Amino acid sequence: MNAAGRWVLGVGLAVAAWAVISATPDHREHTADPIPVPAALGESVDVSGMTVTVTDIRVTDGLEPPGGTALGGRWVVLEVSVLSRDSDLNNPLGGATMQLNDTLVTASDLIPSEDRLDRAAPRTGLVVSGSILFQVPPDAPLGEATILLSRREASESGVWADDQAQLDVDLGGIAIQQDLAFDAPTVAAP
């Protein structure tokens, strides 16, 4: 092969290598999006080292936290049980969000941490049950919502686990209650 042929072959291989590198997704970009695992009300789903069961969904105008002052506004309350199989979990459901219409709602931080399941300490091999609370914007119509439940791998925002429970629900079909009282998270044997 003459010198010109070697040059053409070398440039061609360099272009091919560049194309492969450009087409290969960055590892951080690839793992940034959790894989949704379909969930249904009352059924258990295994995600990120834990078994999650959404046992009830309620919509209320007003909340009465345990030992706290009543809060007004519209709320979506999820009753959830979590069985942790991973001793490295810090917050079992630190990544609880609800997509309602065009609005992304995160679990409310207006309620003290000790009264919320999304901030409850996990217990490996035990079931922790409690409420996850979403305050719905007053102008948001109730309708189809997608609820995503996942754990955070670290305390930094934006670092997610590899999968998450995804529950699709029609909030418009749930009767609105008044001043719903809820309990702090409880721990029980499975």
Side-chain angles (χ1 to χ4, degrees), residues 164-176:
Q164 61 188 357
Q166 177 177 324
L167 178 67
D168 295 317
V169 62
D170 180 12
L171 297 177
I174 299 174
I176 299 173

Side-chain angles (χ1 to χ4, degrees), residues 49-60:
M50 60 187 171
T51 301
V52 177
T53 307
V54 178
T55 57
D56 196 10
I57 301 173
R58 294 176 281 177
V59 178
T60 181

Side-chain angles (χ1 to χ4, degrees), residues 24-187:
T24 304
D26 181 24
H27 173 70
R28 290 176 304 269
E29 178 182 318
H30 179 67
T31 59
D33 296 328
I35 300 166
V37 177
L41 187 63
E43 294 183 14
S44 297
V45 62
D46 292 328
V47 291
S48 301
M50 60 187 171
T51 301
V52 177
T53 307
V54 178
T55 57
D56 196 10
I57 301 173
R58 294 176 281 177
V59 178
T60 181
D61 283 337
L63 277 180
E64 293 182 18
T69 307
L71 297 170
R74 171 112 354 125
W75 296 82
V76 174
V77 179
L78 265 65
E79 296 299 328
V80 182
S81 294
V82 177
L83 170 63
S84 174
R85 299 181 314 276
D86 186 349
S87 61
D88 293 334
L89 292 178
N90 292 329
N91 293 325
L93 293 173
T97 61
M98 178 176 65
Q99 182 74 40
L100 177 62
N101 304 315
D102 294 331
T103 305
L104 181 66
V105 182
T106 57
S108 177
D109 59 358
L110 294 176
I111 309 297
S113 294
E114 63 271 9
D115 294 335
R116 300 173 18 214
L117 180 64
D118 56 306
R119 292 294 175 242
R123 312 288 177 141
T124 303
L126 296 175
V127 177
V128 180
S129 300
S131 302
I132 300 176
L133 310 152
F134 298 97
Q135 187 172 22
V136 179
D139 58 340
L142 294 177
E144 294 294 324
T146 299
I147 298 167
L148 301 172
L149 302 173
S150 179
R151 69 177 174 95
R152 295 269 187 184
E153 289 185 343
S155 59
E156 304 128 22
S157 62
V159 180
W160 291 92
D162 55 354
D163 53 6
Q164 61 188 357
Q166 177 177 324
L167 178 67
D168 295 317
V169 62
D170 180 12
L171 297 177
I174 299 174
I176 299 173
Q177 300 177 12
Q178 297 297 318
D179 298 324
L180 177 71
F182 66 95
D183 295 321
T186 59
V187 178

